[in-house]
Amino acid sequence: MSEHSRRKVSDRLGIGMTGLATALILAILLVILGTMVAGGHRVISWEFLSQPPREGMTRGGIFPAIFGMVFSVLIMLIAVLPIGVATAVYLHEYAKPGHWLTKLVRGAVNNLAGVPSIVFGLFGLGFFIQFIGRGLDASLGKEMLFGQPCILWAALTLALLNLPMVIVATEEALRAVPRDERAGALALGATRWQTIRHVVLPQALPGILTGTVLVIARGAGEVAPIMFTGAAYFLPSLPKAPTDQFMTLGYHIFVMTTQSPDIEATVPIAMGATLVLLCLTIALNLVAVVIRSRTRNALRKGR
Amino acid sequence: MAGSTADRIDITGFNLYYHATRALEDITLAIPEREVTAIIGPSGCGKSTLLRAINRMNDLIDGVRTDGGLRLDGEDIYQRGIDVVELRRKVGMVFQRPNPFPKSIYENVAFGVRMGGNGLLKTRLDEVVERSLKEAAIWDEVRDRLQRSAMELSGGQQQRVCIARALAVEPEVILMDEPASALDPLATAKIEELIFRLKEKYTIVIVTHNMQQAARVSDRTAFLMLGRLIEYDKTSKIFTSPSNKLTEEYITGRFG
């Protein structure tokens, strides 16, 4: 075989292998989506989305699970965004890069990202509910208000789980802002905070938003952190306050597939619920893409 | 020798260390008011570092220490209690690469004034923006598109917007760090013309590696090498009969 044809073969092989890997990923995605669509599309209707489950989850819809999911994700965002963004700003804009404390915090963030989500669930149970919740109840003279699983503690546990993601995404976005522009603002007599507020953060916003949407998607789908901290098997009514327990889509799917009294009747509903969750995640990612390209264009044009 | 009447910036025995290395050694130099002082020298000689010492931009770099005197209008800018933000409003800076913010031309020029916090009326701010853009000789080119992004302008225009941005804060001194090195010859000529006019009002210190430029725009020239000030004199003298052999070798292009 000549050198030329040998190179041609290896080239083809390279394209083939990488192409195959890509095709495999696509195939997996299609199989998952296909299975869910095939098994679940028949149950999806307006009633399915707007009605509570009935008859031991063998009939009815998934509305309380969607409601609870949105509720918990909102509280999670309120908690995780300010803390995560602030931490990233501190680490990237204020802290000295070589300082041992900076390294320690960064190491902690990275390790936090590697902790399995079930551990967060157990931590939430021990720390938020047993320690903080019970403590609050004792000091407020309440009986079992905070010291039990509820949306608040589940959302905070989710926030903790997602904190590293927000920090890393924000730091990444801050890193993309040119040093020259910071120097330009400082040289004009802007304070460091003004520079961050008016020059750095506006440019980092698309990156932060992208991270936020990914965090929403992850928060909506995680089950392990919330199963001990607030999610309920079944509730007859919607939660009214953050101190109520809640139903949520991921946990609901888990419950339906493992605890149903009549698996035959539940499977289509479970598949439908999974389809809804998948579509929601995909839709969120699309929203992220749109927001990102819009802010980026607006920035380029300069408002 | 150097401007006995009105020295705006007075540098005496100034040292700057970067971790263990001494980047500037015992610099003594008096920069007179309303003149253009050029700092020249081979790459890495510390000319930018010296420039950035005047508005304390070196503070941003980890591991920088200084000693010796650096006075602006008689006040030591490295003494305790100096407000660096205030100092930088008095000493404006133009960078090597045009670095407008990704905002409108108007917002770029208004930025420093807004950050200064004296809540100007919109009409007053409009005036400041117009005056600064006129002073920077770019008003005619951008007057119809003040709300468009500064990023859409050419490099030379961007640099003049950056100059306007610095002027809007009404500084006394303007530092220019190779302001034309990223620009084409035409844009460079415009910037040089501008520098010539600005010195009627402002004290200008310019770093350049282009010796013709130093000869064209400056009244005084400081020649730096390896962190030391080799020679400082009237530009006409430096470029015709330098007293130091090293200066002569550098300006005749024997090294650098």
Side-chain angles (χ1 to χ4, degrees):
Chain A
M1 205 160 43
S2 73
E3 180 60 24
H4 179 72
S5 56
R6 190 173 299 145
R7 280 177 51 189
K8 225 171 168 177
V9 167
S10 70
D11 187 38
R12 290 253 168 84
L13 212 66
I15 296 172
M17 301 268 267
T18 48
L20 205 70
T22 314
L24 191 69
I25 298 281
L26 265 176
I28 292 170
L29 183 69
L30 283 178
V31 166
I32 293 175
L33 260 177
T35 315
M36 293 308 142
V37 170
H41 79 277
R42 245 167 284 132
V43 300
I44 294 199
S45 62
W46 175 242
E47 280 68 37
F48 183 69
L49 297 175
S50 63
Q51 297 290 320
R54 279 180 288 115
E55 293 168 38
M57 290 172 286
T58 55
R59 292 270 159 72
I62 55 167
F63 179 69
I66 297 177
F67 181 85
M69 182 181 76
V70 173
F71 202 158
S72 59
V73 165
L74 278 180
I75 298 183
M76 172 198 81
L77 284 180
I78 292 170
V80 78
L81 280 184
I83 298 175
V85 171
T87 307
V89 166
Y90 180 78
L91 280 178
H92 194 260
E93 303 292 322
Y94 288 104
K96 289 189 174 163
H99 198 273
W100 64 269
L101 195 62
T102 318
K103 286 184 187 161
L104 188 76
V105 173
R106 242 195 214 110
V109 169
N110 289 336
N111 278 314
L112 207 60
V115 173
S117 52
I118 188 75
V119 177
F120 280 97
L122 289 170
F123 174 81
L125 177 65
F127 181 73
F128 289 129
I129 297 173
Q130 307 274 25
F131 181 67
I132 297 197
R134 295 271 153 87
L136 270 175
D137 282 349
S139 60
L140 294 172
K142 291 263 196 316
E143 211 167 298
M144 277 297 180
L145 177 65
F146 292 106
Q148 50 151 1
C150 65
I151 300 180
L152 179 66
W153 302 136
L156 290 186
T157 308
L158 282 175
L160 219 54
L161 171 83
N162 281 316
L163 193 58
M165 212 169 181
V166 174
I167 295 174
V168 169
T170 306
E171 266 208 277
E172 205 64 52
L174 294 174
R175 207 167 293 137
V177 180
R179 292 225 162 268
D180 272 10
E181 282 177 21
R182 288 187 182 82
L186 291 168
L188 285 167
T191 62
R192 282 177 102 171
W193 171 243
Q194 284 176 325
T195 304
I196 292 168
R197 167 75 186 73
H198 296 282
V199 176
V200 179
L201 281 181
Q203 291 189 70
L205 199 60
I208 297 173
L209 283 176
T210 312
T212 305
V213 175
L214 294 178
V215 159
I216 292 175
R218 190 166 170 222
E222 274 289 346
V223 173
I226 55 167
M227 52 200 290
F228 313 126
T229 52
Y233 185 98
F234 176 78
L235 291 171
S237 61
L238 294 177
K240 285 172 205 67
T243 46
D244 291 341
Q245 284 199 318
F246 67 116
M247 292 174 73
T248 187
L249 215 42
Y251 189 55
H252 190 56
I253 292 166
F254 168 72
V255 168
M256 282 193 289
T257 47
T258 54
Q259 321 280 312
S260 169
D262 178 3
I263 206 77
E264 295 289 308
T266 316
V267 162
I269 302 180
M271 285 208 168
T274 311
L275 189 59
V276 170
L277 186 56
L278 271 175
C279 290
L280 221 94
T281 315
I282 292 172
L284 277 173
N285 281 306
L286 286 179
V287 168
V289 172
V290 171
I291 297 177
R292 225 161 109 199
S293 65
R294 277 210 181 163
T295 23
R296 201 172 278 160
N297 285 341
L299 271 175
R300 206 170 289 146
K301 286 195 196 100
R303 280 153 304 181
Chain B
M1 186 182 75
S4 54
T5 45
D7 289 335
R8 187 116 253 181
I9 302 160
D10 220 328
I11 306 173
T12 43
F14 187 77
N15 295 297
L16 187 143
Y17 309 83
Y18 180 66
H19 293 293
T21 42
R22 184 144 69 151
L24 292 175
E25 279 192 58
D26 196 25
I27 306 280
T28 296
L29 171 84
I31 295 172
E33 193 171 44
R34 289 180 208 187
E35 282 192 10
V36 178
T37 302
I39 306 175
I40 61 168
S43 305
C45 69
K47 50 192 193 300
S48 281
T49 306
L50 178 58
L51 191 79
R52 281 157 189 264
I54 302 173
N55 65 347
R56 289 189 55 174
M57 285 301 274
N58 290 323
D59 289 14
L60 305 178
I61 301 162
D62 215 19
V64 166
R65 275 182 309 119
T66 62
D67 57 42
L70 206 165
R71 291 168 192 285
L72 176 72
D73 297 326
E75 191 178 26
D76 188 348
I77 63 166
Y78 280 89
Q79 72 186 340
R80 269 172 178 277
I82 277 284
D83 183 353
V84 182
V85 168
E86 204 46 51
L87 168 73
R88 290 183 189 143
R89 302 183 73 80
K90 279 194 260 177
V91 185
M93 185 163 198
V94 178
F95 295 78
Q96 183 169 4
R97 290 192 166 279
N99 58 345
F101 305 124
K103 298 174 187 281
S104 69
I105 295 166
Y106 185 97
E107 283 306 320
N108 263 280
V109 181
F111 184 84
V113 183
R114 282 198 203 279
M115 296 304 112
N118 38 356
L120 285 187
L121 287 175
K122 174 86 172 79
T123 47
R124 270 290 289 134
L125 195 58
D126 288 351
E127 279 169 37
V128 171
V129 169
E130 182 176 339
R131 170 183 58 75
S132 310
L133 287 167
K134 277 180 176 161
E135 262 193 310
I138 179 124
W139 172 250
D140 291 334
E141 291 158 66
V142 301
R143 58 188 305 172
D144 301 323
R145 45 173 170 161
L146 292 178
Q147 298 308 327
R148 301 285 294 275
S149 172
M151 309 304 263
E152 291 171 10
L153 301 172
S154 72
Q157 289 174 323
Q158 285 186 9
Q159 194 62 305
R160 277 178 286 146
V161 167
C162 289
I163 293 173
R165 185 171 78 173
L167 297 178
V169 196
E170 301 185 33
E172 299 162 13
V173 179
I174 302 170
L175 309 176
M176 297 187 168
D177 191 357
E178 307 198 25
S181 67
L183 307 179
D184 63 64
L186 259 172
T188 302
K190 279 197 175 151
I191 299 280
E192 287 182 10
E193 221 172 279
L194 179 59
I195 292 170
F196 202 74
R197 274 195 289 120
L198 288 176
K199 76 171 181 183
E200 285 172 22
K201 244 179 105 181
Y202 305 94
T203 304
I204 297 174
V205 187
I206 177 172
V207 161
T208 177
H209 62 235
N210 176 336
M211 267 165 299
Q212 285 80 16
Q213 187 171 64
R216 281 193 300 262
V217 301
S218 71
D219 301 292
R220 283 162 199 279
T221 298
F223 173 56
L224 247 65
M225 221 178 101
L226 299 171
R228 290 168 183 275
L229 180 65
I230 306 298
E231 192 170 350
Y232 176 47
D233 212 324
K234 289 229 161 65
T235 300
S236 50
K237 170 115 191 326
I238 293 263
F239 282 93
T240 50
S241 53
S243 29
N244 193 299
K245 191 100 176 48
L246 284 168
T247 315
E248 192 187 327
E249 283 176 5
Y250 181 69
I251 61 168
T252 52
R254 232 164 287 169
F255 68 91

